[in-house]
Amino acid sequence: MRRPRTGARTVPRTRKARLRVARADPWSVMKVSFLLSIALGICTVVAVAVLWMVMNAMGVFTTVGGTISEATGSGDGSGFDLQSFLSLPRVLLFTSIIAVIDVVLATALATLGAFIYNLSAGFVGGVELTLAEDE
């Protein structure tokens, strides 16, 4: 069994590398941003559906709908019907439309950002990173 000498270095050395991000491939950025925005859109639709179900189970739409119907209705009780306006299919349709628009815009903006980064990196050299590895 070998023992370290006294005064021998026992602290592990850290290797460091300085790298520069000189170019971002717009096609790669577009693919990744498309997949991430699709995932965000799915999460948004699921979150809205769960929130709507919780609010419906708590009776929020019934209470608020009754108040709005009384405030906007005349003597015959024909006021604004909030429950039919905010039905689950209508809310999910609106959320899906917003999610699709978000996917298109996020993908386009990320790709445009990659082009702009490539132009500015050509002038200033890019972003420098220092990566460290513990041994």
Side-chain angles (χ1 to χ4, degrees):
M1 190 161 119
R2 193 172 175 190
R3 296 183 183 178
R5 292 178 278 160
T6 57
R9 190 174 193 177
T10 59
V11 177
R13 296 185 64 175
T14 302
R15 293 187 332 177
K16 292 183 179 180
R18 291 186 63 170
L19 301 173
R20 187 170 44 104
V21 181
R23 185 176 185 281
D25 184 31
W27 178 251
S28 175
V29 169
M30 185 183 78
K31 291 187 294 186
V32 170
S33 66
F34 178 72
L35 288 178
L36 289 177
S37 60
I38 287 283
L40 181 66
I42 291 171
C43 290
T44 301
V45 170
V46 169
V48 166
V50 168
L51 183 64
W52 187 92
M53 289 179 200
V54 167
M55 289 176 68
N56 191 36
M58 290 172 48
V60 171
F61 299 123
T62 306
T63 306
V64 174
T67 305
I68 290 176
S69 180
E70 286 178 20
T72 61
S74 58
D76 59 358
S78 61
F80 180 72
D81 188 15
L82 182 69
Q83 288 175 309
S84 65
F85 184 73
L86 291 179
S87 63
L88 182 60
R90 182 176 276 180
V91 169
L92 289 182
L93 176 69
F94 181 72
T95 304
S96 299
I97 291 170
I98 296 296
V100 167
I101 291 170
D102 179 51
V103 166
V104 172
L105 285 178
T107 304
L109 287 175
T111 307
L112 181 65
F115 280 115
I116 292 173
Y117 177 80
N118 289 338
L119 286 174
S120 64
F123 292 122
V124 296
V127 175
E128 289 189 15
L129 301 172
T130 302
L131 303 176
E133 177 186 24
D134 292 333
E135 292 182 13

